[in-house]
Amino acid sequence: MAALTSTVMPLTGGTIAFTAAAAGGDTCQTGAGVLLVVKNGDASEHTVTLVTPGTVNGLAIADREVTVAAGAQVGIPVNDDYRDPSTGRASLTYDAVTSVEVAVIRGLA
């Protein structure tokens, strides 16, 4: 797993720097205002899964799956619901990484 670095966006705006999605998955910061941006340059749709750690009354909480259409770009909020208490980061997996790029951005607090 690769640890994605968050880019803080200034109030005047900024460039989003994408990196290739890792075949073994990635991790990223969580919190209010954190956004995972996924760009799918492939001819097929791909699914990004945000692992949801924890349980409620002994039942596992379902992971969040987000489908990214071919040629599309989506933003996915990564709030603290996805924070793994053992790492302090969210775990991300992908059904495939062909032509998939990701970036993590957050606004100024």
Side-chain angles (χ1 to χ4, degrees), residues 12 21 36 79 92 95 102 109:
T12 56
L36 171 67
N79 62 33
L92 316 167
D95 69 336
V102 292

Side-chain angles (χ1 to χ4, degrees), residues 1-64:
M1 281 196 164
L4 301 174
T5 302
S6 299
T7 300
V8 178
M9 286 291 141
L11 295 175
T12 56
T15 301
I16 298 175
F18 287 91
T19 187
D26 292 310
T27 65
C28 73
Q29 174 186 17
T30 68
V34 175
L35 190 67
L36 171 67
V37 183
V38 182
K39 182 167 46 171
N40 180 7
D42 197 14
S44 299
E45 69 178 25
H46 289 294
T47 301
V48 179
T49 301
L50 284 79
V51 177
T52 308
T55 60
V56 174
N57 294 324
L59 300 173
I61 301 168
D63 296 338
R64 172 156 321 266

Side-chain angles (χ1 to χ4, degrees), residues 57-90:
N57 294 324
L59 300 173
I61 301 168
D63 296 338
R64 172 156 321 266
E65 293 185 347
V66 178
T67 301
V68 183
Q73 183 171 309
V74 299
I76 306 166
V78 187
N79 62 33
D80 285 332
D81 291 340
Y82 304 105
R83 184 180 183 279
D84 183 327
S86 65
T87 65
R89 297 175 66 80

